[in-house]
Amino acid sequence: MKTPLPLKRAVIRLASGRCEYCGLSQVGQEALFHIDHIHPVVDGGATALENLALACVSCSLRKGARRTAPDPLTGKPVPIFHPRNQRWSDHFRWKGCRVAGLTPTGRATVDALKMNRLLAQGIRVEESLRGRHPPPG
């Protein structure tokens, strides 16, 4: 289902133009970020503001239709971070240009979405030089 333009704009505004998973700014990126169904449509998720998040292409494609991922410390499946129901700072923190998972959900999300891949870290270094990293808040 195609997301209506007013709803897309609301998601982008709510996300302050940043990936709600890894924090990357849309500014300066060639590829347009995706409007991600947090709870996937194939699993009954609605196309509604409370179920939509702005996601960079990498996070969106890696998350796909998953709702859970294994915690790298325990191997147990845990929910992937939910940007509408959870606060980013409760599950993650910045360690320079790396994202550190603080909770099972945070660790699983960092690992599943490969949030610390070399390219992402390189982009964050450039973003920090431009005053766009770390994200506010």
Side-chain angles (χ1 to χ4, degrees), residues 7-81:
L7 192 51
K8 283 183 182 181
R9 288 182 177 147
V11 172
I12 293 166
R13 190 172 39 256
L14 190 59
S16 300
R18 291 186 169 276
C19 175
E20 295 185 79
Y21 297 102
C22 74
L24 183 67
S25 174
Q26 172 70 75
V27 174
Q29 301 304 307
E30 290 184 18
L32 287 177
F33 286 8
H34 295 180
I35 302 297
D36 175 61
H37 283 79
I38 302 164
H39 182 145
V41 172
V42 298
D43 198 23
T47 301
L49 187 58
E50 62 273 7
N51 189 47
L52 298 174
L54 189 62
C56 69
V57 174
S58 180
C59 285
S60 177
L61 294 177
R62 283 182 169 87
K63 180 182 167 287
R66 294 191 283 176
R67 293 177 63 196
T68 64
D71 175 356
L73 288 185
T74 65
K76 294 181 181 178
V78 296
I80 289 176
F81 175 68

Side-chain angles (χ1 to χ4, degrees), residues 118-136:
L118 288 177
L119 180 58
Q121 290 182 62
I123 292 169
R124 290 182 196 125
V125 167
E126 183 177 329
E127 291 281 291
S128 68
L129 295 172
R130 297 175 186 276
R132 295 192 296 247
H133 180 81

Side-chain angles (χ1 to χ4, degrees), residues 103-116:
T103 63
T105 286
R107 291 188 300 266
T109 304
V110 167
D111 189 61
L113 276 51
K114 306 293 183 229
M115 291 164 65
N116 290 318

Side-chain angles (χ1 to χ4, degrees), residues 88 93-100 110 115-118 121 124 133:
W88 197 91
R93 73 167 177 219
W94 292 107
K95 282 190 164 184
C97 290
R98 293 180 59 83
V99 180
V110 167
M115 291 164 65
N116 290 318
R117 64 197 181 287
L118 288 177
Q121 290 182 62
R124 290 182 196 125
H133 180 81

